[in-house]
Amino acid sequence: MVAGGAHASRPVPSAALDRYIEQARRDWQVPGFAVGVIRDGEVVYARGFGVREAGKDTPVDLHTRFQIGSMSKAFTAAALGLLVDDGKLNWDDPVIDHLPWFRLSDPWLTQQVTIRDLVGHRTGISGAYIAPISNNEMVRRARYVEAIAPFRSEYLYSNLMYRVAGAVVAEVSGGTWEEFVRTRMFAPLQMNDSGASPYDFWDAAYVAPCMYCQAPAGIASFSQARVTNVAMPHRVTPTGPTPLPWQSIGQDGSSGALVASVTDMLMWLQMNLRNGEYHGKRFLREATLRELHATQMQPRTDYDWIKTRIEQVAGKPQYAPGYAMGWRTSQYRNLKLLDHTGALAANRAYGALLPERGMGVVILANAPGRGSGGMHEAIALRVLDLLLGAPAHDWSRDFLEVVERGERERETAEQRLQQSKLPGTRPSLPLESYGGEYQNDWFG
């Protein structure tokens, strides 16, 4: 633990927090994760818990690398911000000004979509669209994807549009997105553990080439990585957490391919909390960072169950949640909250900031935990309550009860479904008849 800032004489009570986090790790069945905390812009707590791989005794530490999934989006948006600061583009430039070959299915939409639209999730185009193809090829295939909502009418999360954003970074910078992230972001922020791709740490034989694929060499272990201080992803099974290989999302993973340790992510959060400065040096202009943190679009759906439960305990936000550029925006205990999750196969990451108080927390884990997750947000809320002096609430137990209730409901529904089968019936064709090659303009 490293204390600092105005609260250096009042450090985080680490022993009690250690116990709470370790209990949560066990309750949610997560093999290992790391937690980092910032107060007044200074790191006041950082620790690894559990192991890098189930069945092994090698512990997670402050330099263990995790795939951070969609937390990468804030880096891609900030990369564009650096190019804004360089005078090479503006947020409201049409994308085709920088990518003349960019096309969408609607010619009018092709002409209208701006850089801001890409990273604010407001193009009307949704979907994951993660495939083992080059980024330029993926962006070229965007012309086959239909919009599902009117332009700028609502928030629609889109990995594809962040891949377009990565192509803009590459085109404007004259290099690749990976090179830009390594030289213009990791280097000045001293993120020495980080990588722009799983291939920075693994030979291709040990990486699954697409989401939920298998690695060519089969099951991988951290000991086979070129840098062995890496956390293996896990899925939760009835017999316990089962390791999986790291997963690739194709070349140029501007939507979710970055790798980082908790130490590096704390440096990233510090820059975001210090108005764009890091260790006294300007990284982003204050105006650019404010733009990155400003809400660009409201969501089209109500809160998820986690947000709903927070309202019940901590009070309803005074303004609607939304999406900024690589960050979600909402409110917690009457303070502006910036946060984002990251999920790539069986890794999970979560980061949250209370900019008005200079507070932040990051959790990197090698499993989602039980159900659809919730552990990461639970730990973050417990930490923020501690920093704010709010009443101690057992968010982990609270969220786990919701997950357990969902598990019981799904089990009951499955039993009813099985009981509803008509005896003596069979599918119209044997299952093997449906196997074969299928062609699609988008997927190939």
Side-chain angles (χ1 to χ4, degrees):
M1 182 178 67
V2 180
H7 295 284
S9 61
R10 188 165 56 85
V12 170
S14 59
L17 187 57
D18 287 351
R19 289 193 296 272
Y20 185 85
I21 293 174
E22 176 59 24
Q23 186 61 54
R25 184 187 72 79
R26 295 176 183 274
D27 290 344
W28 287 87
Q29 299 177 19
V30 174
F33 59 86
V35 179
V37 180
I38 295 171
R39 179 168 55 194
D40 288 338
E42 299 293 336
V43 178
V44 295
Y45 179 94
R47 183 170 172 189
F49 295 82
V51 295
R52 301 177 204 169
E53 182 179 340
K56 307 290 177 64
D57 58 5
T58 307
V60 169
D61 62 32
L62 301 186
H63 297 282
T64 301
R65 284 87 167 173
F66 295 80
Q67 292 187 278
I68 66 170
S70 285
M71 285 191 74
S72 305
K73 289 180 170 63
F75 286 84
T76 295
L80 292 166
L82 288 169
L83 293 171
V84 169
D85 287 355
D86 292 344
K88 294 183 177 180
L89 58 79
N90 294 300
W91 292 117
D92 296 310
D93 287 349
V95 172
I96 58 171
D97 285 0
H98 302 286
L99 290 180
W101 49 270
F102 172 66
R103 296 289 184 275
L104 294 172
S105 61
D106 182 339
W108 179 86
L109 188 60
T110 299
Q111 300 292 321
Q112 299 301 316
V113 169
T114 67
I115 305 299
R116 187 189 302 274
D117 296 323
L118 296 178
V119 292
H121 291 309
R122 58 188 212 175
T123 63
I125 295 171
S126 185
Y129 308 118
I130 294 173
I133 57 178
S134 72
N135 198 61
N136 278 357
E137 178 60 23
M138 179 170 286
V139 174
R140 289 184 190 280
R141 293 188 190 182
R143 67 191 66 195
Y144 302 119
V145 181
E146 298 287 339
I148 62 173
F151 184 44
R152 296 178 185 164
S153 67
E154 57 189 51
Y155 160 84
L156 286 173
Y157 195 84
S158 177
N159 281 312
L160 175 58
M161 292 299 103
Y162 263 83
R163 298 298 286 267
V164 177
V168 172
V169 171
E171 183 68 24
V172 174
S173 68
T176 66
W177 174 82
E178 293 96 335
E179 290 168 348
F180 191 89
V181 168
R182 293 185 189 112
T183 59
R184 292 291 303 277
M185 305 186 82
F186 292 163
L189 294 175
Q190 299 177 308
M191 297 177 66
N192 299 323
D193 297 330
S194 296
S197 161
Y199 299 108
D200 288 350
F201 305 95
W202 295 86
D203 293 335
Y206 300 108
V207 176
C210 60
M211 287 284 282
Y212 309 109
C213 298
Q214 185 55 272
I219 296 297
S221 172
F222 71 87
S223 60
Q224 295 163 319
R226 294 196 299 272
V227 178
T228 59
N229 197 356
V230 296
M232 300 305 297
H234 297 76
R235 67 173 182 270
V236 177
T237 69
T239 58
T242 300
L244 296 172
W246 279 31
Q247 314 241 312
S248 170
I249 58 173
Q251 298 174 25
D252 185 342
S254 47
S255 64
L258 294 187
V259 177
S261 67
V262 72
T263 296
D264 284 4
M265 290 302 293
L266 286 168
M267 296 172 186
W268 166 247
L269 296 188
Q270 280 181 304
M271 182 280 295
N272 278 272
L273 289 169
R274 290 174 173 174
N275 299 317
E277 286 191 355
Y278 181 72
H279 284 298
K281 294 183 179 180
R282 175 61 54 191
F283 180 78
L284 282 167
R285 291 171 51 226
E286 285 190 51
T288 301
L289 189 69
R290 284 196 301 270
E291 199 75 14
L292 288 164
H293 289 176
T295 301
Q296 306 295 322
M297 183 55 63
Q298 304 295 333
R300 67 171 179 161
T301 57
D302 294 332
Y303 296 158
D304 59 22
W305 67 267
I306 290 176
K307 296 293 185 184
T308 301
R309 187 67 189 115
I310 292 171
E311 275 192 12
Q312 294 168 349
V313 175
K316 185 177 179 64
Q318 296 176 3
Y319 60 89
Y323 200 87
M325 299 186 192
W327 296 94
R328 302 183 303 193
T329 60
S330 59
Q331 184 173 295
Y332 184 66
R333 299 196 184 276
N334 298 315
L335 294 166
K336 180 178 181 179
L337 175 72
L338 294 169
D339 74 344
H340 213 287
T341 56
L344 189 62
N347 285 289
R348 289 295 184 274
Y350 179 74
L353 302 173
L354 294 178
E356 296 160 281
R357 296 293 183 88
M359 296 174 179
V361 58
V362 61
I363 298 100
L364 306 179
N366 60 4
R370 294 176 60 184
S372 59
M375 179 200 74
H376 311 78
E377 289 92 336
I379 292 174
L381 294 177
R382 180 74 173 201
V383 168
L384 293 178
D385 284 347
L386 177 63
L387 298 180
L388 293 168
H393 184 78
D394 191 350
W395 290 106
S396 178
R397 185 68 254 168
D398 196 357
F399 288 1
L400 197 58
E401 287 176 356
V402 176
V403 169
E404 289 170 344
R405 183 167 62 249
E407 289 173 346
R408 292 192 296 271
E409 291 172 352
R410 283 191 294 275
E411 184 177 345
T412 299
E414 178 63 23
Q415 290 173 351
R416 289 174 179 167
L417 180 64
Q418 295 298 328
Q419 292 168 1
S420 70
K421 287 183 176 180
L422 296 176
T425 60
R426 65 184 63 185
S428 56
L429 291 173
L431 292 179
E432 56 268 21
S433 296
Y434 295 95
E437 278 194 17
Y438 295 82
Q439 183 71 28
N440 176 275
D441 287 336
W442 163 250
F443 291 105

